[in-house]
Amino acid sequence: DAGITQSPRYKITETGRQVTLMCHQTWSHSYMFWYRQDLGHGLRLIYYSAAADITDKGEVPDGYVVSRSKTENFPLTLESATRSQTSVYFCASSETETQYFGPGTRLLVL
Amino acid sequence: QKEVEQNSGPLSVPEGAIASLNCTYSDRGSQSFFWYRQYSGKSPELIMFIYSNGDKEDGRFTAQLNKASQYVSLLIRDSQPSDSATYLCAVNDKTSYDKVIFGPGTSLSVIP
């Protein structure tokens, strides 16, 4: 199906483990984004990408790594998960300023 | 630091009333303004965007922009229980065309 998908939808992990969240879009949008959403903070930008092989830091990049080898995929890796990274993670894509969001991944770090 | 502020609510209105959601932003150079709706447990979805001063209407929704006051609002007429959600205001980051800055959101509850 066309659109933007995220996997897994739910993830429980332990502190210190590496976790990768996947994001895939079928629109061939140039721009892709990773946000985290926490109570009291709203949506905060972690990383974004303007095209394949072009990525840049957002507001809260520490502890996260991204890559974009193909236009349609934008994985987010937590290199060594911490409890403070427990959150809901949203991927989004856009071709103009209107962003389209994936369904989100709920991550719990124990 | 660029900021987008909204009253967190919750804002409660009776069914059929007008709901008024407000947003202020700090970057005077911002050009594009967006309202997203987010149902509980779901992802945000765009409902309105506005670029010019004044009002923009789309069905029961009206976005209002006043750049001089750095203020944007969303009016929902004839509010329905299905409008109960969190409404996120977003403003473009003029240093980067493709980025927007989101406010914390206002929770709206429409009481039947």
Side-chain angles (χ1 to χ4, degrees):
Chain A
D1 290 341
I4 182 167
T5 57
Q6 294 182 236
S7 62
R9 295 293 312 280
Y10 304 90
K11 177 73 177 179
I12 299 174
T13 191
E14 296 177 339
T15 56
R17 292 191 179 268
Q18 183 179 80
V19 177
T20 296
L21 309 183
M22 305 301 293
C23 179
H24 176 79
Q25 53 106 354
T26 61
W27 293 306
S28 298
H29 284 168
S30 297
Y31 303 109
M32 296 188 74
F33 309 83
W34 274 107
Y35 295 92
R36 60 178 289 173
Q37 188 173 40
D38 307 285
L39 280 175
H41 290 281
L43 283 165
R44 291 185 290 175
L45 183 64
I46 304 171
Y47 269 96
Y48 72 108
S49 169
D53 297 322
I54 301 175
T55 62
D56 205 352
K57 296 178 180 179
E59 180 185 356
V60 288
D62 293 343
Y64 302 96
V65 174
V66 294
S67 62
R68 195 167 176 207
S69 57
K70 294 183 178 181
T71 298
E72 61 267 29
N73 296 324
F74 191 38
L76 175 74
T77 297
L78 288 66
E79 294 183 296
S80 178
T82 65
R83 289 199 180 102
S84 65
Q85 292 177 312
T86 292
S87 187
V88 180
Y89 291 85
F90 288 104
C91 178
S93 71
S94 73
E95 195 56 43
T96 62
E97 292 173 302
T98 301
Q99 296 189 14
Y100 298 89
F101 286 80
T105 295
R106 292 183 177 273
L107 176 67
L108 175 61
V109 183
L110 300 175
Chain B
Q1 182 176 351
K2 307 178 188 67
E3 292 184 346
V4 178
E5 297 184 347
Q6 300 178 251
N7 290 331
S8 61
L11 173 65
S12 293
V13 299
E15 183 175 355
I18 296 175
S20 178
L21 305 164
N22 304 316
C23 173
T24 59
Y25 58 95
S26 63
D27 188 350
R28 188 170 289 278
S30 296
Q31 297 292 326
S32 308
F33 308 86
F34 308 86
W35 283 100
Y36 285 79
R37 177 177 61 200
Q38 185 176 22
Y39 291 114
S40 180
K42 301 296 186 182
S43 55
E45 57 177 339
L46 181 74
I47 53 172
M48 291 282 290
F49 62 87
I50 186 167
Y51 300 140
S52 303
N53 275 331
D55 295 357
K56 179 181 179 181
E57 187 174 317
D58 184 1
R60 295 185 296 111
F61 298 95
T62 298
Q64 299 175 317
L65 175 61
N66 184 327
K67 291 185 179 180
S69 300
Q70 295 175 239
Y71 176 92
V72 58
S73 65
L74 180 69
L75 301 178
I76 306 175
R77 290 183 301 281
D78 188 24
S79 295
Q80 300 296 310
S82 59
D83 295 325
S84 297
T86 296
Y87 290 81
L88 305 172
C89 174
V91 176
N92 81 298
D93 180 345
K94 69 174 183 179
T95 65
S96 178
Y97 168 79
D98 45 302
K99 287 166 56 180
V100 296
I101 301 166
F102 284 89
T106 297
S107 174
L108 172 66
S109 180
V110 180
I111 311 301

